[in-house]
Amino acid sequence: MTDCPAAYLGHADRARTIELASAGGHALLGFKPDHKTFQLAPLIHPDDREQVLEVVKAAVAENHAFAVEYRVRHASGEWRTVWEQGRPVCHGPQTGVQGYLADVTHRRQREDARLDTEHQLLQTQKFHALNQLAGGVAHEFNNLIAGILGSAELVALDLPEEHPGRDSLKNIFEASNNARDFVHKLRVLGQRLPPERQPIRLQPVIEECVQILRTIIPAKVELQTHIHSACPKVNADHAQIHQAILDLCLQAWQGLTERRGRIKITLENCPPARLPAGIPGRSRPGPHVCLTIHDNSAGLDKNSRDTIFHPFRLRRSGGKKTGLELFLVRETIQAHQGEILVESEPGKGLAFHIYLPVAAEAE
């Protein structure tokens, strides 16, 4: 905390009108509030303001002390984190509030850095455990599939071409080959490591993906891009983000009716005020970039939308399951301290919104 907290005496109104403030308010707010009436509420961060007002309102109504932490705007435009303690006081027929504000910005920054380190450690442990499990399962499955395919091939050698049992053998080969593809994905999962993040721009990564997609996706699917060149850098692993974008675009293509339609990739700035509810709580606070992959497919109902990242749960066109791809995409984004959200309704297409925090040097 600061060595000189700002003591105050104010009104119990929604503007948080301050009648008197000590000299400590100068260091905290950047201007001299001594013996000058000013309003504190407009200086409170918009995301914190309503919570602070409700805390003070409840304390005044029930006549008890309160304590709350929030962000205020310094005269320089910088956001400072403050800790406020106060209690209601009576001035004749009127009720006011008195207390003090202390600058805890540096303490909050240290706490965020500690949480970031713990998050990275937990992610590393999570990846390590998941990799061991996936590698072991893949090894066992591979041995089983090899035995099934070998036995089926021996049976095929003994059956004449016109034998009715060849239809069943065909199904065995098809199912075994699908299982082998699944084992390959498990091996890929088992080899995944925590991302090696460094400041990169997403614009060239998207351009690389578009070049690859144009060779895979047929011409009857329109591939559009809307990339803001001024988007800042993010701390990301180039290879993992590259793979995540490809997987999402291929999933979008698979969801198009008869493989016709439009896929649009958008990259834009996303200041804190535009972040969806819940994002700041699970990713690093501050400005983000938003990468959106949108298609004009038939869309999803609520149940499919809610389970879209569950392995092998969602079925799209053709009755095919999505496999591990979307599960891995979400794991990748969250390992980058970001978040991925899904927006879809029946008949209105499907959009994946990826929010990645801006690199510190870009901020």
Side-chain angles (χ1 to χ4, degrees):
M1 294 187 179
T2 180
D3 293 334
C4 186
Y8 70 85
L9 177 63
H11 294 254
D13 57 359
R14 287 189 61 83
R16 298 296 312 274
T17 303
I18 305 299
E19 288 283 353
L20 296 172
S22 66
H26 185 199
L28 182 65
L29 302 174
F31 62 89
K32 295 182 178 180
D34 311 62
H35 309 294
K36 293 181 181 179
T37 300
F38 68 96
Q39 294 182 339
L40 180 62
L43 303 180
I44 301 175
H45 195 285
D47 294 344
D48 303 338
R49 187 178 301 146
E50 195 60 35
Q51 176 192 1
V52 174
L53 296 179
E54 288 300 319
V55 168
V56 176
K57 179 181 177 181
V60 172
E62 300 173 13
N63 193 29
H64 63 71
F66 66 90
V68 62
E69 182 178 305
Y70 55 92
R71 292 163 289 178
V72 296
R73 188 178 65 249
H74 189 266
S76 64
E78 175 190 359
W79 290 105
R80 301 280 182 88
T81 303
V82 300
W83 173 262
E84 178 180 356
Q85 286 187 308
R87 60 184 180 87
V89 293
C90 294
H91 294 286
Q94 294 184 345
T95 300
V97 177
Q98 71 175 16
Y100 73 90
L101 298 168
D103 189 342
V104 295
T105 303
H106 296 303
R107 189 200 72 184
R108 173 53 56 190
Q109 290 173 345
R110 290 193 299 269
E111 180 68 13
D112 290 342
R114 182 184 65 80
L115 292 175
D116 183 45
T117 301
E118 290 181 355
H119 174 77
Q120 291 294 331
L121 178 60
L122 289 174
Q123 283 296 117
T124 301
Q125 293 173 340
K126 176 181 177 182
F127 271 99
H128 181 67
L130 190 60
N131 292 348
Q132 285 187 322
L133 175 63
V137 171
H139 178 73
E140 294 298 329
F141 265 59
N142 194 52
N143 292 337
L144 294 172
I145 294 168
I148 294 172
L149 285 173
S151 299
E153 289 172 357
L154 291 175
V155 173
L157 292 175
D158 296 332
L159 290 181
E161 290 295 332
E162 66 279 1
H163 195 285
R166 282 195 170 273
D167 290 336
S168 298
L169 277 178
K170 182 181 177 181
N171 293 334
I172 293 174
F173 281 121
E174 183 178 350
S176 298
N177 286 326
N178 289 336
R180 187 163 53 187
D181 292 339
F182 166 62
V183 169
H184 173 70
K185 292 174 183 177
L186 277 180
R187 282 180 170 173
V188 171
L189 176 62
Q191 294 169 358
R192 287 170 64 87
L193 297 174
E196 297 181 2
R197 295 186 294 162
Q198 58 182 347
I200 64 170
R201 292 192 177 277
L202 293 181
Q203 292 89 330
V205 181
I206 296 173
E207 293 170 0
E208 293 172 8
C209 292
V210 170
Q211 292 178 359
I212 296 175
L213 291 168
R214 292 195 188 280
T215 65
I216 300 175
I217 297 178
K220 58 187 178 183
V221 176
E222 184 181 1
L223 189 59
Q224 299 178 349
T225 59
H226 185 68
I227 302 174
H228 289 197
S229 58
C231 281
K233 294 181 179 181
V234 298
N235 280 325
D237 185 309
H238 182 285
Q240 291 192 15
I241 293 297
H242 184 278
Q243 187 62 50
I245 296 173
L246 283 179
D247 287 341
L248 289 176
C249 290
L250 292 176
Q251 288 293 325
W253 172 43
Q254 292 176 5
L256 296 176
T257 304
E258 298 180 354
R259 299 295 192 270
R260 295 177 181 271
R262 182 186 68 252
I263 300 173
K264 184 177 182 180
I265 305 174
T266 303
L267 179 68
E268 58 186 348
N269 286 315
C270 187
R274 287 181 51 198
L275 287 174
I279 290 294
R282 291 199 282 180
S283 67
R284 188 167 62 82
H288 286 59
V289 297
C290 179
L291 171 64
T292 299
I293 297 173
H294 179 267
D295 63 55
N296 62 343
S297 63
L300 302 173
D301 57 27
K302 184 178 184 304
N303 181 64
S304 297
R305 189 173 63 247
D306 292 344
T307 60
I308 192 169
F309 295 113
H310 294 189
F312 313 110
R313 291 292 298 277
L314 173 68
R315 291 181 179 269
R316 300 210 65 179
S317 63
K320 294 183 178 180
K321 295 182 180 180
T322 59
L324 285 169
E325 287 83 1
L326 293 181
F327 170 77
L328 293 176
V329 167
R330 185 179 63 174
E331 291 293 306
T332 296
I333 300 305
Q334 292 184 347
H336 283 75
Q337 293 184 291
E339 191 57 81
I340 179 170
L341 301 181
V342 180
E343 181 182 2
S344 182
E345 292 182 16
K348 295 186 178 181
L350 173 66
F352 292 98
H353 302 287
I354 297 175
Y355 297 90
L356 293 172
V358 170
E361 66 172 33
E363 292 186 50

